[in-house]
Amino acid sequence: MPSTINSEVLLSVKNLKVHFELEHYQHHGLRDVFVSAITHPVEFFLKRPELLNVIDDVSFDVTRGMRLGLLGVNGSGKTTLCRCLAGMMVAQSGSITTEAEVRAIFDTGTGILPELTGRENAFLLARLFFPEVKDLKPLVNEALEFSELGHFLDVPFRQYSKGMQARLMLSLISAKSTDVLILDEVLDGADYFFQQKLSVRMRNFIQSAGATIFVSHSADQVREVCDQVLVMNKGKIGFIGGVEEGLDYYHKNLAPVS
Amino acid sequence: MELKFFWAQVRDLTVASLKSRYRKTFAGFIWVVLNPLLMFGVQSLVFKTFMRIQVPDYNLFLLGGLLPWIFFSSTIQMTTPLFVSQSHLLRSFKINPMVIFGSQVLDNFINFVASFLLIVLPFYLSTGRDFSTLLLLPLALIPLLIGTLSIGVALSTINVFFRDTNFVMGFIFNLLFYVTPVFYPKEYIPTNWQWIVDFNPAIYLLNPFRSLIYFSDGTFWMATLKGFGVSLVLFSTAVIIWKRKRNAFYHKL
């Protein structure tokens, strides 16, 4: 990883651990809880919940200019890791040290109020994405132009196709440069041409400021966007390093055992 | 997040959702006032005319309890399923879940204020009470707001894990209405049953409002002090539940 040596660290993850209690999966509702408290009182009050380790002792640094691809099979902890980095979840132990502004998007199919038009939703989303910006108009207008949605902008959001929703969301989230941008499997909704356009925008954006963490299952997208790869394996880091070696590791080590 | 940003987000979301609702149908706005008006009308008819509850200015007495009760119960029943119904939004990007929450509470609070101005105020003024007393109104509403918000956050979080919470609460609220002195005075309850009221957090949140607009006497300060105390306990409980569950929350949504 020659490019990361001596680079400015934007985000430093140390011995991160996240676990969930499994007890909730046994009870579906309050009525279940009530019934099991009455029928098996001893077990109910004394049994310790089982723990599911989702992130297990993960450490790495994100440096300025880094385009990190995050790979791993479903359930390996990629999204949980990203949610921790974005500040949505708090790890039980370990630390994430950062002065950076982290922006993350996990799904592009989200209109806040589907009855409102794409344009109205865009302003609302911008308020949520960029709370610190006072005058949202120039920023949103630029994003709307970039989205090339044209007259569809004044159509209710609920009538948008998946691809159009993705265009709107991705244009907005990338409208303002940020230190660290996390994109979790969100490029798939947009068409090939828009992906290309967005990829250029992200590169410019990374050159001007921060770093990107890019979660994907597509080797082509990872090659296109990333310069490094981190492979998650059952909550631990399986590999961190160059793109081709990372993809190689992913394909060789994480294939299901038959 | 800074409070200023938080407020801007809550405000924009509330304005947008009002816009979205009334674009669909204007009947929504009429319903906001009509709903409490009908509830008030029927209860006044049943309890004052049919059952002849002996309370002076019964209409104002009833409104003093019923209006905050409607805000309290409808806000909690609307917010309990909120985290689950907005799970798509919450999982999609980093948004403070309390923004969505605050917006729903504000939305209901606007309804409360509208029905206060259109229904309570005319009754209040017609009884010849002192207008300046109403200056204390914000103080009476703080415990109601904090308490309602806290119960809502706690239940909405629990509902993420136990999806029948809203169903169970609907049932509990039906019961709670009868054991909370909304349409009858607390004094009607025999002494050996008074504990039902003493352990009912709802009444502490509702009392300051009624105390102010109906009794308009020294009981207001004690009621408000108790209201603050209870809402503070509820608030702390909500914070504890939220902090304990916030990780698993995203996992389970």
Side-chain angles (χ1 to χ4, degrees), chain A residues 69-113:
Chain A
L70 197 52
L71 296 171
V73 294
N74 297 330
S76 58
K78 303 186 296 292
T79 297
T80 302
L81 180 60
C82 290
R83 291 217 159 102
C84 289
L85 298 180
M88 293 160 80
M89 292 170 70
V90 181
Q92 275 94 358
S93 71
S95 65
I96 297 171
T97 320
T98 184
E99 296 283 306
E101 183 187 25
V102 182
R103 203 157 281 151
I105 184 156
F106 299 87
D107 193 336
T108 54
T110 308
I112 299 183
L113 293 160

Side-chain angles (χ1 to χ4, degrees), chain A residues 67-251:
Chain A
R67 288 172 283 137
L68 181 67
L70 197 52
L71 296 171
V73 294
N74 297 330
S76 58
K78 303 186 296 292
T79 297
T80 302
L81 180 60
C82 290
R83 291 217 159 102
C84 289
L85 298 180
M88 293 160 80
M89 292 170 70
V90 181
Q92 275 94 358
S93 71
S95 65
I96 297 171
T97 320
T98 184
E99 296 283 306
E101 183 187 25
V102 182
R103 203 157 281 151
I105 184 156
F106 299 87
D107 193 336
T108 54
T110 308
I112 299 183
L113 293 160
E115 293 297 325
L116 296 184
T117 65
R119 191 188 302 276
E120 287 167 324
N121 269 289
F123 272 96
L124 203 50
L125 282 166
R127 170 64 67 213
L128 298 175
F129 286 157
F130 316 112
E132 72 286 356
V133 178
K134 250 197 166 157
D135 184 14
L136 287 169
K137 251 190 188 162
L139 189 140
V140 174
N141 286 338
E142 188 277 331
L144 293 179
E145 199 165 310
F146 183 84
S147 74
E148 295 178 18
L149 284 166
H151 65 276
F152 284 110
L153 288 171
D154 296 308
V155 167
F157 189 82
R158 68 184 146 80
Q159 291 177 8
Y160 277 31
S161 69
K162 278 208 154 189
M164 286 156 71
Q165 293 175 348
R167 275 177 178 244
L168 190 70
M169 291 289 273
L170 293 170
S171 302
L172 269 172
I173 193 88
S174 58
K176 186 169 170 285
S177 66
T178 180
D179 297 326
V180 180
L181 179 68
I182 301 173
L183 299 172
D184 188 344
E185 293 182 54
V186 287
L187 280 198
D188 304 328
D191 62 58
Y192 173 77
F193 302 104
F194 192 74
Q195 282 186 23
Q196 295 289 314
K197 192 178 168 187
L198 196 78
S199 173
V200 173
R201 178 158 153 127
M202 266 160 48
R203 282 185 181 207
N204 293 339
F205 167 103
I206 291 162
Q207 275 162 11
S208 69
T212 301
I213 298 174
F214 183 77
V215 183
S216 178
H217 291 291
S218 152
D220 287 343
Q221 281 180 6
V222 170
R223 281 196 190 97
E224 170 85 28
V225 177
C226 307
D227 64 355
Q228 280 191 56
V229 160
L230 189 162
V231 187
M232 289 294 286
N233 189 359
K234 292 175 189 156
K236 293 176 187 291
I237 294 181
F239 174 90
I240 184 162
V243 174
E244 289 308 324
E245 299 95 302
L247 286 168
D248 208 38
Y249 175 92
Y250 176 63
H251 289 126

Side-chain angles (χ1 to χ4, degrees), chain A residues 35-65:
Chain A
V35 170
S36 50
I38 290 177
T39 49
H40 304 100
V42 180
E43 267 183 51
F44 181 81
F45 289 106
L46 295 181
K47 205 177 163 200
R48 308 277 301 169
E50 277 182 61
L51 297 181
L52 171 71
N53 288 316
V54 189
I55 304 284
D56 194 2
D57 205 12
V58 163
S59 304
F60 66 98
D61 287 340
V62 176
T63 52
R64 194 173 283 281

